[in-house]
Amino acid sequence: MPDRRAQRGLRHPLLVILVLAACATLVVGGDSVAAIWQWAARSPQDKLARIGARCDPLTGRFEVPSERTFRRVLADLDTDALDAATCGYAADVVRGTAPAPRGPARTLWPCGARGAARRSSRRAAQHAAEHPAPPSLLPAAAVDGKALRGARTEQGRVFLVGAIGHESGVLLGQRQVADKRGEGSAVRELLASLEVSGMVLTLDALHTTKKTARLITDELHARYVLILKGNQPLARAAAQALLASPDADWVQTTDIDEDRGHGRTERRTIRTAPADDTLFPQRGPGLPSAPRQRRP
């Protein structure tokens, strides 16, 4: 991470400031610079020593940055470099090329946290038992854009596009866009900076363009699952014509899934069919892409 501060008179390392801010924000929910500084000021001396905080030679105590220092450093931070560093490390952990961080076992849980963790673990185990993943399942990432709640710039609201791993839920990378209309180009810039070779990328209908599809298949050597809606009327009509026929003709290429939730039972049917480049770019590795139609 580049440190934009002048080296003369520098007292607190950038890494210490970032670690304290991350802990205050992610662990205890500090939502302001003042809350971050208050949490850091109450941190025990042994924890400050572990992260490399500055030690006062006169008192022998470890110090934390002032609120003004937190505010100045975080406001002038190179956010693109921070995203590249943190998301790159998270992606390496998911791929197994970097060791996963390990912390001490928790003996004290906040009110309700233990029960929530147990319920989440049971739901995950039940889902894995009812819907076992096939052995040939490829790693996948979802790409989407959202408005950042509580953040604004001089131009207005802050929009981000990000790629999140399906299985791990880890953010692999993100980019800021000027507004919702610039999301398409931001997604292509984001994907070009990631290592997604051999992965399956899922995107919503806003990104169902041949330019994005060619980037994924030809340059990134990945696969895609795109949604056809009204923004691609010709491709949608061609896919409907390709997949429209009696159910008896699609026995070998149909998958039916039933799920119960929210007080109702849902039945989904997916048909697959081979397609050539005249419908949509599909020159990726391995099996060709295929248009898919989901029926509620």
Side-chain angles (χ1 to χ4, degrees), residues 75-248:
D76 192 46
L77 197 64
D78 188 341
T79 54
D80 290 336
L82 180 63
D83 281 339
T86 55
C87 296
Y89 170 69
D92 290 341
V93 171
V94 172
R95 285 192 291 263
T97 57
R102 296 180 179 271
R106 296 195 61 176
T107 57
L108 297 178
W109 290 75
C111 180
R114 184 185 297 273
R118 289 178 177 175
R119 288 192 297 271
S120 178
S121 178
R122 287 196 300 266
R123 285 196 297 266
Q126 181 180 358
H127 185 272
E130 296 177 352
H131 306 278
S136 59
L137 186 66
L138 297 174
V143 182
D144 197 6
K146 296 295 181 182
L148 197 60
R149 182 177 180 181
R152 299 187 68 87
T153 63
E154 296 179 354
Q155 290 75 27
R157 302 177 65 185
V158 176
F159 291 91
L160 297 178
V161 291
I164 301 178
H166 280 198
E167 182 178 1
S168 62
V170 172
L171 182 65
L172 306 179
Q174 62 183 3
R175 285 287 189 277
Q176 181 175 345
V177 297
D179 53 43
K180 193 71 174 178
R181 289 174 294 181
E183 191 173 318
S185 58
V187 164
R188 288 189 289 271
E189 293 177 3
L190 170 64
L191 294 178
S193 65
L194 301 178
E195 179 56 46
V196 295
S197 177
M199 297 182 64
V200 178
L201 303 176
T202 60
L203 304 95
D204 58 22
L206 179 64
H207 308 291
T208 305
T209 63
K210 293 186 176 181
K211 188 174 183 179
T212 300
R214 289 194 181 96
L215 171 68
I216 294 173
T217 57
D218 298 349
E219 300 183 23
L220 303 181
H221 306 289
R223 300 167 175 84
Y224 60 78
V225 176
L226 299 174
I227 308 299
L228 286 174
K229 288 187 177 180
N231 61 328
Q232 295 287 344
L234 297 180
R236 181 183 180 184
Q240 288 178 336
L242 182 64
L243 295 169
S245 58
D247 292 339

Side-chain angles (χ1 to χ4, degrees), residues 10 57 279 288:
L10 194 64
L279 179 58

Side-chain angles (χ1 to χ4, degrees), residues 30-42:
D31 57 357
S32 66
V33 176
I36 292 173
W37 173 76
Q38 291 172 1
W39 181 88
R42 294 192 299 265

